[in-house]
Amino acid sequence: MAPAPSPILDAELAAFMQRPGISFTVGSCGADMRPSVVRALGCKVSDDLTEVTILLSRVQGAPLLAHVAETGRIAAVFTWPATHRALQLKGRDARQEPASADDVALAGRFRDGFVAHLGALGYSQALIRTVLACPDEDIVALRFTPLEAYSQTPGPNAGQALQVAR
């Protein structure tokens, strides 16, 4: 059995990714390289920082879920709207799992945090709730091991690989 990969995340990045109010999307592609993308509804990082679980709508994310099932490829971009700080993670072992009751509750907290954050920036809370609307029974989880991390914050360091202090 191969040894577990060293985490590329640290506690600060994990906290950023799990911060209520964060905006994030998830992308993948099929073997034909045709892309798919969907807005995510929640995120959790494992205690050992080696796995990330993204929550999303099964219906809205159907093309992405098909691509993940085919290739395992995933990219997730996390952005803090007020500052545009952004982080991108990439993985190759994404797999779909059922969402637990705790996951559904987490998605609700993320939704409320995003609505509050964008509301404070002047966006319509009703519009944001509509964009993030998803029945609880439609929520699904995607779990993956992040293998690459990049700064995507606009500026001279955008696209550079992140070096995590250990």
Side-chain angles (χ1 to χ4, degrees):
M1 182 172 207
S6 298
I8 65 165
L9 299 176
D10 61 19
E12 190 278 327
L13 289 175
F16 174 74
M17 294 163 51
Q18 297 174 99
R19 184 176 184 184
I22 199 84
S23 172
F24 58 111
T25 55
V26 182
S28 189
C29 65
D32 62 359
M33 301 307 285
R34 173 170 255 144
S36 55
V37 67
V38 67
R39 177 163 291 284
L41 302 173
C43 172
K44 62 184 178 183
V45 178
S46 63
D47 291 341
D48 66 1
L49 305 175
T50 61
E51 288 192 313
V52 174
T53 301
I54 303 287
L55 306 172
L56 55 106
S57 162
R58 182 186 331 270
V59 171
Q60 294 174 11
L64 179 124
L65 293 170
H67 285 156
V68 165
E70 181 183 358
T71 69
R73 294 181 189 139
I74 190 167
V77 177
F78 302 81
T79 305
W80 188 247
T83 64
H84 300 292
R85 177 184 177 194
L87 162 72
Q88 181 185 47
L89 300 179
K90 292 184 178 184
R92 294 188 298 271
D93 66 350
R95 63 231 175 253
Q96 181 178 329
E97 299 178 349
S100 68
D102 288 343
D103 291 336
V104 170
L106 178 66
R109 290 192 301 275
F110 265 81
R111 184 180 304 123
D112 291 345
F114 190 59
V115 167
H117 183 70
L118 288 185
L121 296 175
Y123 292 91
S124 163
Q125 291 189 7
L127 173 64
I128 302 309
R129 285 208 182 276
T130 300
V131 168
L132 298 178
C134 176
D136 290 350
E137 60 275 6
D138 186 42
I139 296 173
V140 65
L142 281 179
R143 184 183 309 262
F144 71 101
T145 305
L147 299 176
E148 301 172 52
Y150 301 91
S151 170
Q152 294 298 346
T153 305
N157 295 323
Q160 289 188 358
L162 292 178
Q163 303 301 317
V164 176
R166 304 241 183 266

